[in-house]
Amino acid sequence: MAAAQRLTTLVEHVRAAAGRVCPPERTASLVGEALRAHLPTRDVLTPAQLAGDPDGYTQHILHVEPDGLFSVVALVWRPGQATPIHDHLCWCVVGVVDGVESEVRYRLAERDGRAHLVEDGVVENPAGSVCGFAPPGDIHEVRNAGDGTAVSIHVYGADISRVGSSIRRRYDLPVRPALR
């Protein structure tokens, strides 16, 4: 199947999943099933897009639903590139096409009246893996953990062409270890 047809098939299945009326966590789960079954290959991007940018990971919008219900976005990460610690505006589902993405999850806590983050786990997502989440409780940092370029497909429950990014808030807080 050609790249354009694979993307069209993915969009059709995501449309069916995202169009159901249910809580955001359930929507992310249904969209995750669709992405897992129809994860595109890297050929949905041009060679120039796949080159990435030495200054930071790049975002390529592949589809925005006309009513803004969801967007399909490809992210290209060179080795070591990472997001800031952040949370999201909406539900999100990610499928790794190439490479390995490492995700550090955090939870917001308070001690002595001061906010801080607590590391809540690290997940390695190799090619073929799909994960999803919905706010609240979606604070994380993602990085390319491999030696080569990583490519991932993100499906967001928002019109990314309008809002520019799924990031709601960046966290520049101290990180404390979890109490054992």
Side-chain angles (χ1 to χ4, degrees):
M1 185 183 308
Q5 183 57 47
R6 278 194 296 275
L7 184 59
T8 298
T9 300
L10 172 63
V11 166
E12 290 168 354
H13 284 84
V14 169
R15 183 179 296 127
R20 293 181 56 182
V21 178
C22 51
E25 300 83 8
R26 179 71 178 133
T27 300
S29 177
L30 293 168
V31 170
E33 292 171 15
L35 185 57
R36 192 171 288 107
H38 303 284
L39 185 62
T41 56
R42 66 185 290 133
D43 61 355
V44 297
L45 298 172
T46 67
Q49 290 171 323
L50 287 168
D53 183 334
D55 294 330
Y57 69 94
T58 56
Q59 171 179 282
H60 305 286
I61 297 174
L62 303 178
H63 174 82
V64 175
E65 195 66 357
D67 64 0
L69 181 63
F70 67 90
S71 301
V72 180
V73 177
L75 295 183
V76 177
W77 315 70
R78 287 188 174 187
Q81 291 180 335
T83 66
I85 299 172
H86 65 281
D87 64 8
H88 298 85
L89 299 166
C90 57
W91 56 261
C92 176
V93 177
V94 178
V96 179
V97 173
D98 274 335
V100 178
E101 291 181 9
S102 177
E103 176 188 21
V104 181
R105 297 175 181 170
Y106 299 92
R107 61 184 163 80
L108 189 58
E110 188 176 323
R111 186 184 313 158
D112 300 325
R114 294 179 191 226
H116 63 275
L117 297 171
V118 177
E119 190 175 305
D120 211 21
V122 177
V123 178
E124 297 291 320
N125 297 305
S129 62
V130 174
C131 62
F133 49 81
D138 61 322
I139 303 170
H140 69 169
E141 174 190 49
V142 180
R143 75 177 49 253
N144 177 351
D147 295 331
T149 299
V151 178
S152 50
I153 301 295
H154 298 234
V155 184
Y156 298 112
D159 180 344
I160 298 302
S161 69
R162 185 178 63 77
V163 297
S165 169
S166 71
I167 294 175
R168 180 178 73 102
R169 177 183 302 146
R170 287 176 171 82
Y171 291 85
D172 186 20
L173 294 172
V175 176
R176 297 196 173 147
L179 298 175
R180 308 240 185 256

